[in-house]
Amino acid sequence: MKNQSVKNNIDWISVFIYIALVILGWLNIYSSSLLSTDGTYQKQLIFIGCTIPLIFVVLFVDGKFYEKYASIIFGVSLLSLAGLFLFGKTIAGQRCWYAIGSFTLQPSEFAKAATSLALAKYLSDTQINLKETNRQLQALAIVFLPVMLILPQPDPGSALIYSVFILVLFREGLPSWYVWTGFITILLFVLTLVLEPYAVILIALGVLIIIHFKGRAVDRNIILSAILLVVISGFVLSVDYVFDNVFKQHHRDRFNILLGKTVDMKGIGYNTNQSEIAIGSGGWIGKGFLEGTQTKGGFVPEQHTDYIFTTVGEEWGFAGSLVVILLFVGLFLRVIYLAERQKTKFSRVYGYCVAGILFTHFFVNIAMVIGIFPTIGVPLPFFSYGGSGLWGFTILLFIFLKMDANKVNEW
């Protein structure tokens, strides 16, 4: 088949949604930082301008380059994360950035694309069968290597995003018990924070008894059930220790506020409370662009970064928020659609990684802003202020669009 240019083959629907989100993001950054004196919205405009040559570079490189050198890109990414412990700059207690004068760069934002490429490269090997335990461990190692370097920075928000790779692995054949184990672990952890540990153990015992007598004959293994109860009991009894001694105080405070165990509207719960007030005050159609009183008054801290969606809610109301949400959902669904039509496993897996990362950022950020998830510092893609985040998401998306545009050459 005759080769066609990227211009003709690139998925323009995804490109137009990307452009719309970036423009809307800048308008909200402009509104939320208009009265500041640090040039926030001007800097973001420069970051946006830098994405134009960045996109051209990503699209200019041959699509096969990303597959051929995926392992090297991943290795360089790991080195950039490890280098932070020696050469990183500490900001607000986190050692997440390299600083060159006043310019900072956060390598964890680019590590998501690098990890996606590495995972896609590994899974595209025809010899890989995720039913084999050693293959499962190797795939999980690719995911957890960057996590182990990001957590000590400490940056739990960025580390949390990597959990979505488990769903990508599940899509490619990882046994479902991994997903169920993760879900049950989170559920037990939260229940133990709300109830007494022994009450949670009794609930688990009741569930196991029901499964034993109501399940299939093949599932009625009393020894296995006993082992599961012992493991669950050990985990539940360790939750309080982990919560009190491993979690930092501000993390404990945020969980306690979320679970209703603590009310601190002037302290640790201030951000979330002001965020909810701002969004709620927008009503159905909002107060109007640049007319948000909460935004103008600076009541929501860090509103131009992690809490940027509060500006949307206050000034554009429910209608505007719905438009933004539909744009994001449209992009997710479009990427999944494109991933399904790929002709190589490498491109398909990478596409699912892109959709998963963008969705997880979107979901966690919105949930955090409306108060149903702890505040952990996860930016809203293409909206939140910052060059590293914008460039990282742009590279992540346009590498996939390049792969999709090149699929005409893969017959």
Side-chain angles (χ1 to χ4, degrees), residues 175-320:
S176 60
W177 69 264
Y178 280 94
V179 178
W180 281 110
T181 299
F183 173 77
I184 292 171
T185 299
I186 295 172
L187 180 61
L188 288 172
F189 185 86
V190 174
L191 281 176
T192 306
L193 294 180
V194 176
L195 306 173
E196 290 295 326
Y198 291 105
V200 178
I201 293 173
L202 286 175
I203 292 172
L205 175 61
V207 171
L208 289 173
I209 290 174
I210 293 172
I211 292 174
H212 179 77
F213 288 104
K214 296 293 184 180
R216 298 172 301 171
V218 69
D219 296 327
R220 297 175 184 174
N221 188 326
I222 193 169
I223 296 178
L224 178 59
S225 297
I227 293 174
L228 283 174
L229 182 61
V230 170
V231 172
I232 290 172
S233 300
F235 174 77
V236 168
L237 293 173
S238 70
V239 166
D240 284 342
Y241 176 83
V242 171
F243 188 71
D244 292 334
N245 296 279
V246 176
F247 280 50
K248 293 184 178 298
Q249 183 61 48
H250 62 279
H251 293 145
R252 294 197 294 270
D253 292 337
R254 287 166 182 169
F255 267 100
N256 287 332
I257 289 173
L258 179 66
L259 297 173
K261 299 174 70 175
T262 302
V263 178
D264 184 12
M265 297 307 181
K266 294 184 179 181
I268 196 70
Y270 178 81
N271 288 25
T272 301
N273 182 50
Q274 293 300 320
S275 172
E276 292 172 353
I277 292 173
I279 292 175
S281 67
W284 288 100
I285 58 174
K287 297 176 181 177
F289 184 55
L290 302 180
E291 298 298 326
T293 53
Q294 293 290 113
T295 298
K296 278 189 173 181
F299 290 103
V300 183
E302 304 300 326
Q303 190 168 7
H304 59 291
T305 55
D306 298 339
Y307 283 85
I308 190 64
F309 194 74
T310 61
T311 309
V312 180
E314 182 179 25
E315 298 190 347
W316 300 4
F318 176 81

Side-chain angles (χ1 to χ4, degrees), residues 123-134:
L123 295 177
S124 62
D125 189 326
T126 56
Q127 304 300 316
I128 298 301
N129 181 359
L130 286 179
K131 300 300 181 185
E132 300 174 4
T133 302
N134 63 321

Side-chain angles (χ1 to χ4, degrees), residues 8 23 43 47 59 66 72 76 92 100 106 140 152 158 173 175 178 214 221 242 273 294 301 337 339 386 398 403 411:
N8 294 330
I23 292 174
K43 292 177 184 177
F47 297 150
L59 296 179
Y66 300 111
I72 295 177
V76 171
I100 305 174
Q106 188 174 0
L140 291 172
S158 294
Y178 280 94
K214 296 293 184 180
N221 188 326
V242 171
N273 182 50
Q294 293 290 113
Y337 166 75
F398 277 87
M403 293 177 186
W411 289 94

Side-chain angles (χ1 to χ4, degrees), residues 28-202:
N28 282 276
I29 290 173
Y30 176 80
S31 178
S32 63
S33 61
L34 184 61
L35 300 180
S36 67
T37 58
D38 58 1
T40 298
Y41 64 87
Q42 296 99 323
K43 292 177 184 177
Q44 188 67 12
L45 198 58
I46 294 173
F47 297 150
I48 292 172
C50 291
T51 63
I52 297 174
L54 184 63
I55 289 170
F56 277 107
V57 169
V58 171
L59 296 179
F60 176 79
V61 174
D62 184 78
K64 291 294 183 182
F65 170 88
Y66 300 111
E67 181 175 3
K68 183 178 181 180
Y69 295 102
S71 299
I72 295 177
I73 295 172
F74 183 58
V76 171
S77 176
L78 292 178
L79 288 175
S80 71
L81 291 172
L84 287 170
F85 297 105
L86 295 175
F87 308 108
K89 180 179 181 179
T90 301
I91 302 176
Q94 292 181 309
R95 200 176 184 85
C96 302
W97 296 268
Y98 288 109
I100 305 174
S102 60
F103 175 75
T104 58
L105 197 68
Q106 188 174 0
S108 62
E109 295 296 345
F110 304 95
K112 297 161 191 172
T115 305
S116 300
L117 289 171
L119 193 62
K121 175 69 173 177
Y122 179 76
L123 295 177
S124 62
D125 189 326
T126 56
Q127 304 300 316
I128 298 301
N129 181 359
L130 286 179
K131 300 300 181 185
E132 300 174 4
T133 302
N134 63 321
R135 298 300 189 184
Q136 296 168 13
L137 295 176
Q138 290 167 2
L140 291 172
I142 294 173
V143 174
F144 286 112
L145 276 174
V147 171
M148 293 300 102
L149 293 172
I150 292 172
L151 276 176
Q153 293 177 4
D155 187 4
S158 294
L160 173 67
I161 301 302
Y162 284 76
S163 62
V164 76
F165 288 118
I166 302 299
L167 296 179
V168 176
L169 290 171
F170 173 66
R171 165 65 177 78
E172 297 301 322
L174 188 73
S176 60
W177 69 264
Y178 280 94
V179 178
W180 281 110
T181 299
F183 173 77
I184 292 171
T185 299
I186 295 172
L187 180 61
L188 288 172
F189 185 86
V190 174
L191 281 176
T192 306
L193 294 180
V194 176
L195 306 173
E196 290 295 326
Y198 291 105
V200 178
I201 293 173
L202 286 175

